[in-house]
Amino acid sequence: MNDVKQALLTKELAYYNSHKSEYLKQYKNSFVVIKNQKFLGAFTTEAQAYEAGLKEFGNQPFLIKQVVEEEVIALHPALSAGVVHVNL
Amino acid sequence: MSIYNGLFLQQSPTGNKISPHILYSGGPLISVAITIPNALVQLYQKEQRPIPAPISGIALIDTGATKTCVHDKIMEKLGVQTTGVTTTHTANGPKQSNLYPAHFSFPAPKIEIDFNSVLEVDLSGQTFQNQQIVALIGRDLLSRAVLVYNGPAGMFTIAI
């Protein structure tokens, strides 16, 4: 199930990456919404982007991506090491 | 600002006592109910669809985590669709993880947080006193909070 969802958003991510340089010029730091190969728009906040995506597509998977030069990496050291919770 | 004092009691011959050891071994844990984001509630109400019941459990405050995380499949069970994918690093190497909007209710301090995105992670086997840990509270929430961890006293305080 997870793989299916990732495959759906892979198309959107590919579309985003192919247009990223253009978005950086026009929408830097904004949040863009993409579904399949449709660009819905750019929004000031992530919450606005989600509301717009819901209004347009309903409760379906769609991509919200902040337009930044370097992607932010989510760090979870304890989870990465597999030691969120241990019995001592 | 809501304030929550977390402490763990241990039985002793003279009655219940706050246990620094339980905080040490369990970490700063807080009860949480995870449900669909507010924007989706509004959509469901407009469409006259039932709102899914929240999924309750315990969350671990994890100052090492940049983003708040939810246990595998919880958002899927709630019927929330993914809005992003990001790379996370696990013990088995890099992994693609889904992002979801979510709403967290913390019943004890009556704090409501609507997250634009939380990260789906596998917390299988992460339990405290046989309860599944369903979420990790990351620095995205802590950036709006004051957290005091008092190890010797066996308690922590979070104010949001």
Side-chain angles (χ1 to χ4, degrees):
Chain A
M1 190 70 181
N2 228 20
D3 294 341
V4 173
K5 279 185 290 188
Q6 286 173 11
L8 284 170
L9 290 178
T10 299
K11 198 191 292 179
E12 281 82 1
L13 281 168
Y15 185 84
Y16 170 81
N17 287 327
S18 68
H19 291 78
K20 186 174 173 178
S21 56
E22 175 196 328
Y23 294 158
L24 277 168
K25 286 177 194 161
Q26 293 186 59
Y27 308 121
K28 195 171 180 180
N29 295 324
S30 296
F31 294 85
V32 294
V33 178
I34 297 165
K35 170 81 172 162
N36 294 321
Q37 293 196 328
K38 179 179 178 179
F39 172 78
L40 180 63
F43 303 88
T44 308
T45 67
E46 199 172 1
Q48 289 170 349
Y50 183 58
E51 283 173 24
L54 272 184
K55 192 176 175 185
E56 180 71 16
F57 308 119
N59 187 28
Q60 296 293 320
F62 54 81
L63 178 68
I64 298 174
K65 191 87 178 147
Q66 187 173 25
V67 182
V68 289
E69 282 180 42
E70 286 198 28
E71 300 301 326
V72 178
I73 298 168
L75 297 174
H76 303 83
L79 198 63
S80 304
V83 290
V84 170
H85 216 256
V86 292
N87 292 321
L88 299 170
Chain B
M1 183 172 263
S2 298
I3 300 172
Y4 174 71
N5 292 309
L7 50 89
F8 303 96
L9 297 175
Q10 191 167 36
Q11 287 181 341
S12 75
T14 54
N16 288 339
K17 282 187 174 175
I18 296 173
S19 169
H21 178 74
I22 298 178
L23 177 64
Y24 161 69
S25 61
L29 295 160
I30 185 167
S31 294
V32 66
I34 303 169
T35 188
I36 66 174
N38 287 337
L40 192 54
V41 169
Q42 287 169 14
L43 179 73
Y44 280 9
Q45 285 172 340
K46 198 175 167 185
E47 295 176 348
Q48 297 186 319
R49 291 175 60 181
I51 310 296
I55 294 175
S56 298
I58 50 172
L60 174 68
I61 298 172
D62 181 359
T63 59
T66 48
K67 277 188 90 65
T68 293
C69 305
V70 289
H71 182 40
D72 209 15
K73 308 292 184 199
I74 283 182
M75 299 318 295
E76 195 176 301
K77 282 178 192 163
L78 290 168
V80 179
Q81 299 292 338
T82 182
T83 55
V85 176
T86 191
T87 303
T88 55
H89 297 277
T90 72
N92 297 321
K95 181 180 177 286
Q96 293 289 297
S97 299
N98 292 315
L99 297 167
Y100 294 87
H103 187 90
F104 280 28
S105 298
F106 299 97
K110 293 184 180 171
I111 296 168
E112 303 284 331
I113 305 281
D114 212 47
F115 285 94
N116 293 318
S117 66
V118 295
L119 189 66
E120 181 184 62
V121 296
D122 185 2
L123 294 172
S124 299
Q126 311 297 344
T127 60
F128 176 73
Q129 295 179 344
N130 297 321
Q131 283 186 85
Q132 173 68 48
I133 294 175
V134 296
L136 301 178
I137 305 300
R139 297 198 302 271
D140 49 352
L141 189 151
L142 295 177
S143 66
R144 294 189 256 167
V146 176
L147 174 67
V148 179
Y149 184 97
N150 189 337
M155 62 185 292
F156 69 94
T157 301
I158 186 165
I160 302 175

